[in-house]
Amino acid sequence: MAIEQEYKDFKSLLEYFVAQLEYVANNKDISCRGYDKYIKPLVDSGNFTKTGNGYKEHQIQNQIRNWEKYSVGRIAINCKPNFGNNYRTSTCYLNWIGTGLNVNAQWNGNHISDLILKFYQNDAMPSPMIKPVSLNDLGLYDDNPPNNKLKAFLDSFSKMKIDHDENVWLYSDYDPTFSVEEWYKILTDKEITSIDALTVLKCIKEIGGQATCSQLAEKFGNTWQYYNSNSFAMGKKIVEKMNCQVPQREDGTIPYWAILYEGKGASKEEKGTFIWRLRKNLSLALDKIGLNDMENPMITKLKELLLSSKQIILTGAPGTGKTYLAKQIAYALTGDNAENSPHVEFCQFHPSFDYTDFVEGLRPVDKGNGSIGFERKDGIFKAFCKKALKNYQDSQKLKQVIEAERTAQDKIDVYLNNAIEKQICLKTTTGNEFYIREFDDRRIYIEIPGNEIKKDVIVPYTELQKIISENLILTKAGDIKNIFQREHNRQHDSYTYIICNEIRKQKNVTLTVPQSQVKRENFVLIVDEINRGDISKIFGELFYAVDPGYRGKAGKVTTQYDNLIDETDLYYGGFFIPENVYIIGTMNDIDRSVESMDFAIRRRFTWKEIEAKDIAESMFDKVMPEHKEKALDVMNRLNNAIEKTESLSKAFHIGPAYFIKLKEYDGKLQPLWDLHIQPLLQEYLRGSMDSVATLAQLKAEFFTVPPAVNEE
């Protein structure tokens, strides 16, 4: 337990924290709680800073110096708005320095209603740690000594810090009560354990039985989210199917990962922030099972085909699961999953889809004062390629380069935030006064009040970062032209020169988190119904770049709006498809639009036909195992009859996507026939000589169900 003075300090700290956030979130509203006591003295003395990271010793930490020290450690204040100047997010918090143990605010409109303790980390999130506590219950701003609720709040926060420092294994006292044999059954149950979940467990086993998600990602590939999300999903499935007792946090939520592991915070020397350790019986059961027991050969084969050819098109009859299969291939290649897929992009072509949707084009924007203008905007494909290109470029950099860039970024951000907050007036070498108004990861926006011709200039952030990170020497603004091998000076060079010199004057900013080399990741674009769009109109000049033999800069092309791209853009100077981008298209064989596909695009893809039977079993296993046998029997018999019909063929098979609707109808065939199968067959038979008789024959085959699966 804390001493009485620490409770008093903590109460003042919480009151200040609330006052700071409400003041900046409401556009410096002086009527906010605590303004007169905490904020006004700082504003009047010119020492108030609204943004910064206290754990980096930014100036904002000075505002809580009187209340930062406690017997178990120091607390930092961190206040960084998200886009749109939004301070009502988890990026504004108090925390024990050196941990992910935070105090976060919960908002109700323009005011904070509650405070909550959370454990934030990349690898796992056993948070929140306790239920939210209202400001009234904490007794904030009541001018009384700290009450019991506030003392309990600090005691819980301190206990979290002590446990973190002592490396206590969380949920080590919880036992899911599964024997080795029971764990083996769970691991071989496809309804519970996916191939991805088993892969995660095997990776932890191989690395020694315990690891952080970041360590797993570094050694075995995929992202840390892959290991986190698959563990969470498997734990949840075990709880739902096995009906086992589970631990609960104080707010009633369940840490599903605890079914599989014990956990504790990682030390500063370890990569990642939270360690998982396999439960003993689970670890022993893993020795009895191999990944090959659960491999899906078809997905593995198609993934290998995609890796070798860069782009494939899945063709086949309607409903054969091409879109489903495309997503599974993409997840297998990237390590993503349905709940978290940052490396997979999905789009669907249609007759009105064009170049501006896919590559780039002019889009209307509100210029203010009722006027509308147009700006060049990236389309789906180009924006996706940018994300992949950034990863590809970063993966080529050495660890030392990444750390230098990150340190430079921290230096630049600290200075720019301070310059914006204090409205620092800077001068060029010719005496022109200017101010820094705002910045993002690409641009720094400069305002020049005294320039009647051009009152604003954009300084490329990346140019400044390169000069700082590589410690390049500047004696004059003209040196910048030589660094970037330009023929002429540019207007922003003189502003870059001054800002660079000012940044170099500030005290050293050290990198608080060691950086590791970035792993090259795969990115997959899925184009559903690729044949339904006007391919020539959509791809334009990209026919050249999309060729698998011209990935990377070898396939660079000048796009239609290239003259509107500014020099801060990754694709300034031409567009190309990065080497880590893969494309999967899907299309129905019987669509009339198939024949209109441009041959130039046809020969750039590898084509793979998907039959109805190829993924039917795995799809039925996942979606409706209780109706699997009936669905397989009816589908196979109906498709055999379709193939023997004179006016039809194998291309008119009906795939499993239609039959999974049996789940909606409790396994009853009649609504499936009436609402889905019959209308499709009528369309197939339109214009044929004996359509009525043929449909009757197919209906008879559909309803001729063996007794073992008959719904009656």
Side-chain angles (χ1 to χ4, degrees):
M1 292 183 59
I3 61 176
E4 194 63 33
Q5 184 58 48
E6 290 184 348
Y7 292 129
K8 293 178 181 178
D9 290 345
F10 191 66
K11 182 175 182 180
S12 297
L13 176 62
L14 296 184
E15 288 179 342
Y16 177 83
F17 177 62
V18 171
Q20 162 104 13
L21 292 192
E22 290 191 348
Y23 176 65
V24 297
N26 292 292
N27 297 317
K28 299 185 177 180
D29 182 1
I30 64 174
S31 68
C32 290
R33 288 174 289 191
Y35 172 79
D36 290 334
K37 182 176 180 179
Y38 297 104
I39 307 301
K40 189 175 186 299
L42 293 168
V43 173
D44 291 346
S45 63
N47 292 318
F48 179 76
T49 297
K50 67 179 181 179
T51 63
N53 289 320
Y55 69 87
K56 293 183 179 181
E57 293 301 330
H58 290 177
Q59 184 175 334
I60 195 172
Q61 187 67 12
N62 293 331
Q63 295 162 199
I64 66 162
R65 288 294 182 202
N66 293 334
W67 319 299
E68 68 173 359
K69 294 181 180 178
Y70 299 84
S71 55
V72 300
R74 287 175 60 224
I75 295 177
I77 183 171
N78 308 281
C79 193
K80 296 289 285 185
N82 278 358
F83 296 109
N85 209 33
N86 182 9
Y87 289 85
R88 298 176 176 86
T89 70
S90 60
T91 58
C92 299
Y93 58 95
L94 301 171
N95 79 306
W96 290 116
I97 292 177
T99 76
L101 306 171
N102 301 344
V103 176
N104 285 98
Q106 293 191 339
W107 292 78
N108 183 7
N110 292 328
H111 299 286
I112 294 171
S113 58
D114 306 272
L115 296 178
I116 187 169
L117 301 184
K118 287 192 173 184
F119 190 176
Y120 174 80
Q121 56 226 357
N122 287 344
D123 298 322
M125 281 191 199
S127 64
M129 299 300 286
I130 69 166
K131 294 179 181 178
V133 184
S134 72
L135 303 194
N136 289 336
D137 286 345
L138 290 169
L140 300 191
Y141 307 107
D142 64 5
D143 295 324
N144 292 321
N147 62 24
N148 290 335
K149 285 285 183 69
L150 185 136
K151 290 180 179 180
F153 196 79
L154 177 56
D155 290 343
S156 295
F157 198 31
S158 300
K159 176 73 164 51
M160 290 162 62
K161 175 68 161 59
I162 293 169
D163 288 348
H164 178 276
D165 292 345
E166 292 180 352
N167 280 329
V168 174
W169 286 97
L170 293 173
Y171 305 113
S172 59
D173 56 347
Y174 161 74
D175 184 0
T177 69
F178 297 132
S179 66
V180 175
E181 290 71 28
E182 288 171 325
W183 270 119
Y184 179 82
K185 290 179 181 178
I186 290 171
L187 293 174
T188 54
D189 187 336
K190 293 182 180 180
E191 292 184 26
I192 297 177
T193 308
S194 67
I195 181 63
D196 288 326
L198 185 60
T199 299
V200 170
L201 298 175
K202 280 289 189 180
C203 288
I204 297 176
K205 178 79 173 179
E206 184 175 332
I207 209 172
Q210 65 182 55
T212 68
C213 289
S214 295
Q215 290 169 345
L216 294 170
E218 185 176 59
K219 182 173 178 62
F220 300 105
N222 293 314
T223 62
W224 65 261
Q225 294 99 325
Y226 170 83
Y227 299 93
N228 188 27
S229 59
N230 278 295
S231 296
F232 177 91
M234 182 177 175
K236 187 175 182 181
K237 287 179 181 177
I238 291 173
V239 171
E240 291 171 348
K241 184 164 184 180
M242 305 301 293
N243 197 27
C244 61
Q245 291 186 339
V246 293
Q248 287 191 349
R249 305 186 185 103
E250 290 193 21
D251 69 337
T253 58
I254 299 172
Y256 288 106
W257 59 267
I259 310 297
L260 308 169
Y261 319 113
E262 299 166 354
K264 71 175 182 179
S267 67
K268 293 181 180 179
E269 293 73 34
E270 295 173 297
K271 184 176 179 61
T273 54
F274 199 75
I275 302 172
W276 280 333
R277 181 170 68 186
L278 287 168
R279 294 197 175 276
K280 183 179 178 180
N281 286 351
L282 170 58
S283 180
L284 293 172
L286 282 167
D287 293 331
K288 300 183 176 184
I289 190 168
L291 287 175
N292 290 334
D293 296 334
M294 299 187 70
E295 287 283 1
N296 186 323
M298 185 172 192
I299 290 177
T300 301
K301 184 178 179 180
L302 290 174
K303 181 181 74 172
E304 292 171 353
L305 179 63
L306 181 60
L307 278 170
S308 63
S309 63
K310 293 289 187 181
Q311 48 215 33
I312 61 176
I313 288 181
L314 306 179
T315 70
T320 49
K322 297 179 292 296
T323 303
Y324 168 84
L325 188 58
K327 290 180 179 180
Q328 299 309 307
I329 298 166
Y331 298 152
L333 190 62
T334 62
D336 291 355
N337 55 53
E339 288 74 32
N340 185 27
S341 52
H343 304 87
V344 179
E345 186 70 48
F346 182 92
C347 70
Q348 188 177 68
F349 282 4
H350 49 79
S352 61
F353 196 86
D354 63 13
Y355 183 91
T356 60
D357 299 306
F358 193 61
V359 186
E360 63 184 355
L362 296 178
R363 297 294 189 189
V365 292
D366 187 354
K367 293 288 188 179
N369 300 321
S371 62
I372 300 295
F374 288 86
E375 286 186 3
R376 187 204 65 82
K377 297 286 186 182
D378 291 333
I380 292 172
F381 185 49
K382 192 170 187 182
F384 184 66
C385 285
K386 273 186 183 175
K387 186 161 62 169
L389 179 58
K390 178 68 166 62
N391 168 262
Y392 183 81
Q393 290 177 340
D394 287 346
S395 70
Q396 307 300 304
K397 298 174 183 175
L398 297 174
K399 179 176 181 286
Q400 296 89 327
V401 174
I402 295 171
E403 290 192 337
E405 289 180 348
R406 176 59 189 275
T407 302
Q409 179 184 336
D410 284 350
K411 288 180 179 179
I412 295 168
D413 289 356
V414 168
Y415 176 77
L416 295 179
N417 277 318
N418 190 46
I420 293 170
E421 178 67 29
K422 295 185 176 180
Q423 298 186 15
I424 296 174
C425 178
L426 301 170
K427 288 185 180 181
T428 63
T429 53
T430 58
N432 289 333
E433 294 184 347
F434 68 94
Y435 296 86
I436 299 169
R437 286 305 177 211
E438 58 180 315
F439 70 97
D440 54 35
D441 60 354
R442 287 178 54 198
R443 303 180 180 92
I444 303 169
Y445 298 90
I446 305 298
E447 182 179 332
I448 318 162
N451 192 326
E452 296 298 327
I453 300 175
K454 188 173 180 61
K455 290 188 175 294
D456 51 67
V457 169
I458 293 176
V459 171
Y461 187 104
T462 50
E463 287 190 5
L464 188 60
Q465 187 179 23
K466 177 180 174 67
I467 294 169
I468 298 293
S469 66
E470 297 181 17
N471 201 24
L472 301 176
I473 297 174
L474 293 182
T475 58
K476 58 184 183 300
D479 293 338
I480 297 174
K481 174 191 70 174
N482 299 327
I483 289 172
F484 295 100
Q485 300 178 345
R486 296 195 294 249
E487 186 176 351
H488 303 290
N489 293 322
R490 295 184 179 170
Q491 184 184 10
H492 68 253
D493 289 348
S494 57
Y495 301 94
T496 303
Y497 174 69
I498 297 299
I499 295 172
C500 181
N501 288 340
E502 292 298 317
I503 290 172
R504 284 172 168 168
K505 290 178 185 177
Q506 66 181 344
K507 294 179 181 178
N508 286 337
V509 177
T510 57
L511 185 65
T512 55
V513 181
Q515 302 297 296
S516 59
Q517 191 161 3
V518 175
K519 178 182 178 295
R520 173 178 163 176
E521 295 170 337
N522 296 322
F523 291 75
V524 179
L525 173 74
I526 299 173
V527 182
D528 199 34
E529 300 195 19
I530 191 171
N531 54 296
R532 293 194 62 236
D534 186 331
I535 302 297
S536 298
K537 189 168 98 174
I538 293 171
F539 279 87
E541 65 279 350
L542 264 59
F543 273 173
Y544 176 74
V546 83
D547 192 302
Y550 292 102
R551 281 292 197 272
K553 291 186 178 180
K556 182 184 287 188
V557 295
T558 301
T559 60
Q560 298 175 26
Y561 298 92
D562 198 65
N563 62 313
L564 298 179
I565 298 175
D566 67 57
E567 58 191 290
T568 67
D569 195 288
L570 277 176
Y571 280 122
Y572 179 71
F575 174 73
F576 57 90
I577 301 174
E579 295 177 26
N580 56 340
V581 168
Y582 300 84
I583 304 172
I584 305 175
T586 72
M587 58 183 286
N588 291 329
D589 277 343
I590 61 172
D591 283 356
R592 294 174 177 84
S593 54
V594 171
E595 300 305 321
S596 65
M597 279 195 72
D598 194 305
F599 181 73
I601 202 72
R602 279 172 170 261
R603 65 181 178 83
R604 284 168 166 81
F605 283 80
T606 298
W607 296 65
K608 174 64 179 176
E609 183 179 4
I610 306 300
E611 297 184 12
K613 62 184 179 182
D614 287 340
I615 62 168
E617 284 202 42
S618 62
M619 189 180 287
F620 294 155
D621 274 335
K622 184 173 183 179
V623 179
M624 51 169 208
E626 68 276 19
H627 304 304
K628 172 185 171 182
E629 296 304 323
K630 175 186 281 189
L632 282 173
D633 180 80
V634 176
M635 184 188 76
N636 290 335
R637 195 169 346 91
L638 178 61
N639 284 336
N640 286 336
I642 287 173
E643 197 168 340
K644 294 174 183 176
T645 301
E646 185 175 349
S647 58
L648 302 178
S649 67
K650 183 179 176 182
F652 291 84
H653 279 184
I654 298 178
Y658 284 90
F659 288 88
I660 60 175
K661 299 181 188 299
L662 276 173
K663 183 177 182 179
E664 300 175 22
Y665 305 130
D666 295 325
K668 297 187 184 304
L669 293 176
Q670 192 65 52
L672 179 65
W673 171 265
D674 293 340
L675 300 176
H676 305 284
I677 304 299
Q678 180 174 275
L680 181 63
L681 290 173
Q682 287 173 332
E683 184 63 28
Y684 284 176
L685 296 168
R686 186 186 301 275
S688 63
M689 292 290 292
D690 301 315
S691 60
V692 175
T694 302
L695 184 62
Q697 292 173 1
L698 294 174
K699 182 177 181 179
E701 287 292 338
F702 182 88
F703 283 103
T704 305
V705 185
V709 295
N710 195 296
E711 64 191 33
E712 300 300 327

